[in-house]
Amino acid sequence: MTFESEMEKRTQDAQKTVLSCLPEPSGFQKTLLSAMDYSMRSGGKRLRPILMRLSFEMFGGTGTDPSWFMAAIEMIHTHSLIHDDLPAMDNDEYRRGRKTTHIVYGEAMAILAGDGLLNLAYETAARSFDSSAHPERCAKALQILAAKTGVTGMIGGQSTDVELEGTVIPEDTLDFIYRLKTAALIEASLMIGAVLAGADEKSVSDMEMIGRNIGLAFQIRDDILDVAGTQEEIGKPVGSDAKNNKTTFVTYAGLEGADREAKRLTGEAVALLDACAGRGYHSEFLRSLLLSLAERRS
Ligand code: GRG
């Protein structure tokens, strides 16, 4: 199977898994549920659930269905995008090539749709206990999900980012923001797959570091695309960082320096993955996927 056809197959699998966990828009909350549904169905690469399943498979997972956590991480990711696009944050009109949730459903409903997805994520992840032969692994995975999403993870990074908007952000603070805001969910995806599969502590910690390096590279690529991409590629207008007066990695390193750093970080991640292969845990497709992210245009 080629890389492209396997990617297509895995994207469809993640898409089916994620959408099967969404409630039907009906009842008095129909508008809220429609707003959640709209946001979850509007494209997206489904990268985090794909990474989670790949990690689960790499460590030979059995006895627990990772689907619940796969859907949960995508719900949390989508919640963050809905809230990040709000007028109080980035004030963006387009996301994933479509109008943002607050443009279609209004600001109040978009706030609630984000809140709804964040709660639904934990409700969904907790369903993994029902059929798991290893409930203690599900409990550990739930802890990771909450910590990497909350104040020590994505929300903490976003708050620092929001607070410092319009200022010249020192490079080490920018690194902290990227690590929490963007890398934390990617770390969580790889760690949870490993934990649900019963991987040892060293392997879980390696997956965390792979996620960190890939997450930082992913954010730097996002900075590059915001300057050098096109609206068709990124699904929203380019130049949003400049419009919002944001310090990004490109501010410090320029486009070429940022490209070099994204590739260096990807190399670190692949080296760690190769070390896992040396201990008998191997996924050729995950390796190719990590390398392909360094070149991504969307
Ligand atoms: C509002 C709590 C809160 C957090 C916001 C993650 C985040 C923090 C904001 C989203 C905007 C942004 C630039 C995030 C950086 C990570 C990133 C590049 C997200 C886009 O992820 P993709 O490319 O998106 O995986 P798709 O659409 O493919 O799912």
Side-chain angles (χ1 to χ4, degrees):
M1 207 186 291
T2 63
F3 174 78
E4 286 72 24
S5 59
E6 180 150 9
M7 193 63 203
E8 174 67 27
K9 188 172 102 0
R10 290 192 172 269
T11 306
Q12 277 172 15
D13 160 67
Q15 175 79 346
K16 204 166 126 230
T17 301
V18 166
L19 298 184
S20 70
C21 295
L22 287 179
E24 271 298 305
S26 63
F28 283 111
Q29 318 92 313
K30 189 173 175 182
T31 310
L32 169 67
L33 291 165
S34 301
M36 290 161 61
D37 202 74
Y38 172 83
S39 316
M40 289 294 291
R41 284 178 193 278
S42 57
K45 297 181 287 299
R46 311 302 188 199
L47 177 66
R48 293 152 192 81
I50 291 173
L51 290 173
M52 192 182 289
R53 196 188 281 290
L54 284 169
S55 171
F56 181 77
E57 289 173 1
M58 184 171 123
F59 291 101
T62 54
T64 301
D65 182 359
S67 302
W68 306 110
F69 276 94
M70 288 168 64
I73 200 116
E74 189 67 15
M75 288 174 193
I76 292 173
H77 168 58
T78 304
H79 134 268
S80 81
L81 301 181
I82 297 173
H83 281 189
D84 190 63
D85 291 334
L86 286 168
M89 295 211 200
D90 274 4
N91 196 16
D92 279 323
E93 214 182 317
Y94 286 92
R95 162 80 63 187
R96 295 169 163 173
R98 297 167 88 191
K99 292 275 184 190
T100 45
T101 311
H102 67 275
I103 296 290
V104 178
Y105 288 91
E107 219 178 308
M109 206 49 83
I111 292 170
L112 291 169
D115 294 342
L117 282 172
L118 187 56
N119 280 276
L120 184 62
Y122 292 105
E123 189 183 332
T124 305
R127 290 176 69 182
S128 62
F129 285 89
D130 295 345
S131 59
S132 176
H134 310 285
E136 73 292 349
R137 295 182 190 169
C138 301
K140 178 76 193 150
L142 212 43
Q143 278 176 21
I144 293 170
L145 187 70
K148 295 288 182 190
T149 302
V151 293
T152 53
M154 184 183 72
I155 292 176
Q158 176 75 354
S159 74
T160 312
D161 194 20
V162 164
E163 199 170 4
L164 296 180
E165 192 172 307
T167 70
V168 178
I169 302 178
E171 219 171 330
D172 58 341
T173 313
L174 195 65
D175 185 71
F176 170 88
I177 292 170
Y178 284 12
R179 192 156 53 76
L180 270 67
K181 177 179 93 161
T182 307
L185 275 201
I186 296 180
E187 291 168 18
S189 307
L190 290 169
M191 290 170 80
I192 289 171
V195 163
L196 292 178
D200 57 274
E201 264 181 46
K202 160 85 180 127
S203 297
V204 175
S205 140
D206 280 353
M207 294 319 268
E208 182 174 30
M209 287 315 296
I210 292 171
R212 184 159 306 171
N213 285 304
I214 285 299
L216 292 173
F218 196 81
Q219 182 59 59
I220 292 172
R221 186 62 57 198
D222 202 62
D223 295 346
I224 295 171
L225 289 172
D226 193 66
V227 178
T230 66
Q231 177 156 352
E232 287 68 38
E233 285 168 340
I234 67 171
K236 59 181 186 173
V238 291
S240 157
D241 292 335
K243 184 188 85 182
N244 292 323
N245 252 331
K246 279 199 165 166
T247 306
T248 73
F249 198 82
V250 173
T251 318
Y252 281 110
L255 282 172
E256 279 181 20
D259 183 62
R260 264 197 309 277
E261 180 63 2
K263 288 183 173 139
R264 186 192 70 76
L265 287 159
T266 304
E268 299 258 321
V270 170
L272 279 164
L273 193 71
D274 290 346
C276 290
R279 298 200 305 278
Y281 306 113
H282 179 63
S283 169
E284 194 51 42
F285 182 72
L286 178 56
R287 192 177 194 279
S288 306
L289 177 56
L290 300 187
L291 286 168
S292 80
L293 290 176
E295 312 284 343
R296 76 183 175 98
R297 301 283 313 167
S298 66

